[in-house]
Structures are given as structure tokens and as C-alpha cells.
Amino acid sequence: MDLLIPDKVHDESRQGEALLLEPVVGKNNGRKLYIESYGCAMNFSDSEIVASILADSGFETTSDFNNADVVFINTCSIRENAEVRVRNRLKEFAGAKSKNPGMVVGVLGCMAERLKAKFLEEEKLVDVVVGPDAYRDLPNLIEQVDGGQRAVNVLLSREETYADISPVRLNSNGINAFVSIMRGCDNMCSFCVVPFTRGRERSRDAVSIVKECTDLFNQGYREVTLLGQNVDSYKWKKPHPASPQPSPKERELETSSEVLSSGEDLGEAPKTVNFANLLEMVALVNPELRVRFSTSHPKDITDEVLYTIAKYDNICNYIHLPVQSGNSRILELMNRTYDRDWYINRIDAIRRIIPECAISTDMITGFCTETDEEHNDSVSMMDYVKYDFAYMFKYSERPGTLAAKRYADDIPEVVKQARLAEIVAKQQQYSFYRMQARLGRVEKVLIEGFSKKSNNDYCGRSDQNAMVIFPVTEGYKPGQYANVLVERTTSATLIGKIVE
């Protein structure tokens, strides 16, 4: 069985992807930018922000770093293999820089934040090191390098959300788009570097989010994924009357038809907009705009959010709810702030309120001091939930995390690998089980384009985020919805035909 993980939050096929944009007529300064990205959807979203900022400064993009004047690599510190790939990639850039000494090479994102000094000292070819909150400063930093200096800005911000920047959509199919709703994380999970590389949580204002989603719909996009390290903790407070007044455009949006469930317009909405409110506001942009979100945290996902999902047909019935471990003692060591019973309570609530909801998860095997019995608790959690999809990893100590400071990474590699193999096999079983349950059903699918294997087939995703493959049919094209009768499945894919 082919255990692929059909989730766009961490799309392996996009790792190292380089962007290519149409030149802006009359604005180009003759300099070429090459940028490639690694890691999660937040990093790819950030690259879109960087592209927008530098396009405004006259840069045009190239898909070949050998032809670039400025080369950026947007990095991830979550996974060890991502860091290894970035370091290897920098060695390749060194060859191009030796032929073009004027080339500017920069490291952006989470690795830049975590390893700022090392990049300048060890990786001698790196000219610019920029953290996730300093992208507005890039034109100035490039100018410093042009003047013969190396440049660094890794200051973290308590305010920066890039709310006023309209991201350039990179390598987009024009149908699906990521929309960042918040930045940073306050959770301090002991295995994770995100709070140290992306800073404290701050939520983007709801007005700009709704406007971006509205603009995307008007441009032909039909699905948005709201992004945050923990979307459930989204909280935006409306400005106090004494604060600077919104622009006429913002005020026009505030008093427009985006309404909350109470029937109030945004101008009359509660002073604080939570995630359930925001979901509703985005769903009301247009019933033809599908809404997804990632990632949820078990400690924060409320019944209010679940009832909002159940209320609107265009909010997809799919929740990514990372468990990390099925054992309460390990969860405490991970500083996840919930236990096994709490997580099961949230699963039960999802099943009760949204019976058709697909659930995916993250699972780590071999965390510090994990026993065989505690690992078995993770296996039994998989048996209880029967996840649709899962991201599964063996524990890899990340320097600078609380776990690295407090606990010995004491589980032998061979044990970690064996435990990982067991849960992967278990997930194969349940992915196939969930796909088989869709046999004979009609799925509403948003057509995204041709399948990877054939231009005779379309592909798209169901409401539950399963990949669906079906023959190209006259009268249907990408960006439209189709009802597909499921005739057979693999462990990751539904296969069928369009029915009227």
C-alpha cells in the first residue's frame, strides 16, 4: 500500500522549490533574485512575502541560481534533515559565487534565527542572515552587502505580522492559497525550536485577513488554508477608539457584508475576535470559497470552533490535531499541557459534533526515557482514533530546545527506528481503512489540475482532504467543483468518476 500523506502543511514535493514570477513591467532594476524554500507551509508563505517586498524594489526572479544576483534559501529548523539539506545546498551555491563574486547569498527563516553567528563564521559564502520578522529590512541589507559589508537582522518582533503586504503567490495553480493569520508560538513544547526562531504569538488583524481572502476569491482562487503554529489561539482585539483610525478602504471592508453569526457586521463585532469568529468571517466571504486551517493544538481547540465548522459547508471537515505521544508522562515531559484523557475528550467531541470529520496527527517515537509500555500507549491511541493520515518521526534532538537542555536523548537509534516502523505500519492499516470507508460514496472535489501520472486524469481533494483521481470530463476544468463517485481506493487516494 502506498502510504502518501495528502496534506499540504508539509508538502515533501515542494521542498527546495524555487519561485518564478512574471516580471513587473517598468519596475525591474535588472537584478535577478533566486529563492528556494524548505520546511512547513509557513516558510513557503514567508517566501511569498519576501518576493513581494523585493519585487517592489525592482527584482525579477530566475529559476536558475547560476544566473542570479541575489540567492536566498528560506530555511527550517524543525527537522534535522532539513538543516542537512540546507547546508549541502549552500555548498552548491558556493560554486556559483566563485564564478560571480558579486552574487549575494542569504539565509532566511528559522535556521537564520537559530544559527545566526555560525552562518557568518562557518559558512563563509553567506552575506546576509535574516530572521522571520525582519523581511521588510531586506532591501537595506542587500544594499549593505553591495557596499562591502555582511548584514544581519534576526531581531524578533512582538508586533510584526506583515498584514499590509499582499503576498505574491509562488508557483501557484491559481486555485489554492495559504493565508497566514498569526506568527510565532507561546506553547514551549520541549522538543520544538519554533518559539525561539519565530518569537511570541501575535495575531494578524481580522480585517486584513478577510480582505486577503476576498481578493483571492475575486482573482479566481477557490480554497484558502489559514495558517498559524497554533490557529486555535488566534485572538485579535479591535483597536481602541483612541487608536489610529482605519483607512477608508479598511473602513469600507469593516462595514461590508462580512458578518458574524449574530448578524452583526464586523464594525459591531465583539471587541475580541477569536478563531471561531475568524473562521466564520472567512467562510462568509463566499460559499464557493473552501476554508481549511492548520495547525490545531489539543489544549485550545474548542467546541465553539467545532460547531462553527459543522455550521458551514465550505469549512472543510478535516482537522490536523497533533498528539505527539499517547502517554501522559511523555506528554508532560514534552510540555504539551494536556494528557491522554484530554486528547481523547477532544477526539470524542470532534466525532460527536462533526461525524464526517477526517483527523490527522503528528507522532514522535523514542522521546527521552520512553519505555516500551509508553510507546504502546501511542499505538493504542492510533487504534482508538484510527487517523486518516499521520506525520510520524523518530525523536531528533534539536539544539537549544528545552528537551536538549533538560533530558538525555537516551533511546537507542535501533529502538527508535523499530517503534517508528510499527506506527507507520499501523497508520498504513488505518489510512487504507478510512479510504475504503469512502467506497461507493460521492465526494465533492475541487479540481486542482491534471494528476501527476496522466493528463487524461484530473486530481483534487475531497472535503476530508483525501486526494481524488478521476478521468478528465468535458465541461469540467480546474477551479471548478465536481461530484465524484468513488469506485476504488489505495491507502492514500480515492479513484472514481464524475457523476451529475
Side-chain angles (χ1 to χ4, degrees):
M1 294 183 292
D2 53 335
L3 185 67
L4 301 176
I5 310 298
D7 186 351
K8 299 175 187 173
V9 178
H10 189 102
D11 187 344
E12 291 296 340
S13 68
R14 295 191 70 191
Q15 299 304 297
E17 182 178 271
L19 71 91
L20 188 62
L21 307 176
E22 288 295 323
V24 180
V25 178
K27 208 167 191 181
N28 296 323
N29 61 15
R31 300 187 78 183
K32 287 185 164 39
L33 165 71
Y34 175 90
I35 179 171
E36 66 182 38
S37 306
Y38 294 86
C40 67
M42 289 293 291
N43 271 19
F44 286 86
S45 178
D46 279 0
S47 288
E48 294 175 345
I49 289 169
V50 170
S52 297
I53 291 168
L54 292 181
D56 282 344
S57 294
F59 284 84
E60 59 179 287
T61 56
T62 175
S63 59
D64 182 356
F65 66 83
N66 291 290
N67 297 330
D69 300 288
V70 175
V71 174
F72 285 146
I73 185 166
N74 196 351
T75 62
C76 171
S77 266
I78 303 301
R79 303 180 184 180
E80 186 176 16
N81 67 339
E83 290 200 6
V84 171
R85 289 166 79 175
V86 166
R87 288 190 181 277
N88 289 338
R89 195 63 169 145
L90 285 172
K91 291 174 184 174
E92 293 181 48
F93 295 157
K97 189 174 173 69
S98 65
K99 298 173 186 174
N100 178 13
M103 177 187 286
V104 177
V105 176
V107 176
L108 313 179
C110 294
M111 273 183 77
E113 186 66 42
R114 190 170 73 77
L115 301 174
K116 41 196 173 274
K118 283 191 174 183
F119 273 122
L120 291 176
E121 293 165 11
E122 296 177 10
E123 308 286 353
K124 297 300 183 185
L125 76 139
V126 175
D127 304 298
V128 183
V129 181
V130 186
D133 290 349
Y135 296 142
R136 292 181 195 272
D137 199 26
L138 276 169
N140 295 328
L141 297 173
I142 292 171
E143 195 173 317
Q144 284 182 40
V145 176
D146 290 342
Q149 298 179 328
R150 300 169 103 188
V152 182
N153 187 341
V154 290
L155 293 176
L156 291 174
S157 167
R158 286 179 176 267
E159 290 82 33
E160 182 61 84
T161 63
Y162 300 108
D164 60 319
I165 293 176
S166 179
V168 175
R169 301 294 162 180
L170 309 182
N171 305 312
S172 173
N173 58 8
I175 297 165
N176 317 93
F178 292 122
V179 176
S180 178
I181 66 168
M182 58 192 301
R183 299 181 72 82
C185 185
D186 289 348
N187 289 327
M188 300 301 291
C189 299
S190 66
F191 55 80
C192 185
V193 297
V194 166
F196 308 107
T197 60
R198 287 189 170 270
R200 300 298 298 272
E201 276 179 3
R202 58 271 191 211
S203 296
R204 181 178 162 190
D205 73 87
V207 174
S208 71
I209 294 168
V210 174
K211 181 182 185 304
E212 183 174 341
C213 293
T214 303
D215 290 346
L216 285 166
F217 181 82
N218 291 337
Q219 293 166 27
Y221 287 82
R222 289 299 175 263
E223 182 180 285
V224 293
T225 300
L226 307 181
L227 290 180
Q229 303 300 145
N230 174 19
V231 291
D232 304 293
S233 64
Y234 176 88
K235 189 175 290 184
W236 175 66
K237 293 184 178 180
K238 291 182 66 179
H240 188 272
S243 301
Q245 293 300 304
S247 68
K249 226 175 191 182
E250 290 172 329
R251 187 60 201 149
E252 179 185 341
L253 179 69
E254 280 193 292
T255 55
S256 70
S257 60
E258 282 75 52
V259 295
L260 298 176
S261 56
S262 61
E264 300 169 321
D265 69 25
L266 188 55
E268 299 299 321
K271 289 183 179 177
T272 299
V273 176
N274 64 20
F275 184 58
N277 302 146
L278 180 68
L279 263 182
E280 187 163 35
M281 290 156 62
V282 175
L284 287 167
V285 166
N286 194 290
E288 291 295 299
L289 180 67
R290 259 189 178 173
V291 184
R292 300 189 188 274
F293 58 89
S294 191
T295 294
S296 290
H297 195 292
K299 73 179 175 65
D300 291 323
I301 190 164
T302 64
D303 285 3
E304 183 186 9
V305 168
L306 301 181
Y307 281 116
T308 302
I309 296 169
K311 180 179 178 181
Y312 292 95
D313 290 340
N314 59 328
I315 302 179
C316 292
N317 290 339
Y318 168 64
I319 295 174
H320 185 65
L321 196 68
V323 64
Q324 307 300 358
S325 172
N327 177 265
S328 293
R329 187 186 76 87
I330 295 296
L331 288 170
E332 186 175 1
L333 289 181
M334 290 177 167
N335 198 33
R336 290 291 287 172
T337 68
Y338 57 85
D339 60 13
R340 180 184 175 91
D341 289 343
W342 177 277
Y343 186 88
I344 287 175
N345 171 275
R346 293 295 80 206
I347 293 294
D348 292 345
I350 294 170
R351 300 290 189 220
R352 182 180 71 253
I353 297 168
I354 321 168
E356 289 290 302
C357 193
I359 303 173
S360 62
T361 199
D362 296 343
M363 188 78 79
I364 297 173
T365 66
F367 190 73
C368 312
T369 74
E370 182 188 61
T371 66
D372 286 340
E373 291 75 16
E374 289 165 338
H375 165 70
N376 288 338
D377 283 345
S378 293
V379 175
S380 69
M381 181 67 80
M382 298 178 80
D383 289 331
Y384 185 85
V385 182
K386 298 179 177 64
Y387 295 105
D388 293 72
F389 324 119
Y391 291 110
M392 297 158 286
F393 314 97
K394 58 186 177 182
Y395 175 63
S396 171
E397 184 176 272
R398 312 308 295 133
T401 60
L402 297 177
K405 295 174 183 175
R406 294 177 181 174
Y407 314 127
D409 183 6
D410 58 354
I411 306 300
E413 189 68 19
V414 64
V415 175
K416 289 181 183 179
Q417 190 60 49
R419 291 175 183 173
L420 178 62
E422 183 178 0
I423 66 168
V424 166
K426 180 73 69 172
Q427 186 54 49
Q428 279 189 318
Q429 172 189 340
Y430 288 126
S431 290
F432 190 62
Y433 167 82
R434 290 294 182 191
M435 293 294 104
Q436 286 281 290
R438 312 306 294 185
L439 275 173
R441 303 184 61 159
V442 175
E443 303 286 341
K444 184 178 181 180
V445 178
L446 176 60
I447 305 173
E448 297 181 10
F450 295 113
S451 76
K452 289 183 178 179
K453 294 183 178 179
S454 170
N455 284 349
N456 294 322
D457 293 319
Y458 277 143
C459 68
R461 290 177 188 270
S462 70
D463 186 49
Q464 286 79 15
N465 203 36
M467 179 59 73
V468 187
I469 306 295
F470 47 97
V472 171
T473 303
E474 189 175 350
Y476 290 88
K477 61 183 180 181
Q480 294 181 332
Y481 292 97
N483 292 319
V484 178
L485 173 65
V486 179
E487 298 175 309
R488 57 194 177 93
T489 82
T490 69
S491 62
T493 307
L494 304 176
I495 302 163
K497 64 182 179 183
I498 293 178
V499 293
E500 296 300 327

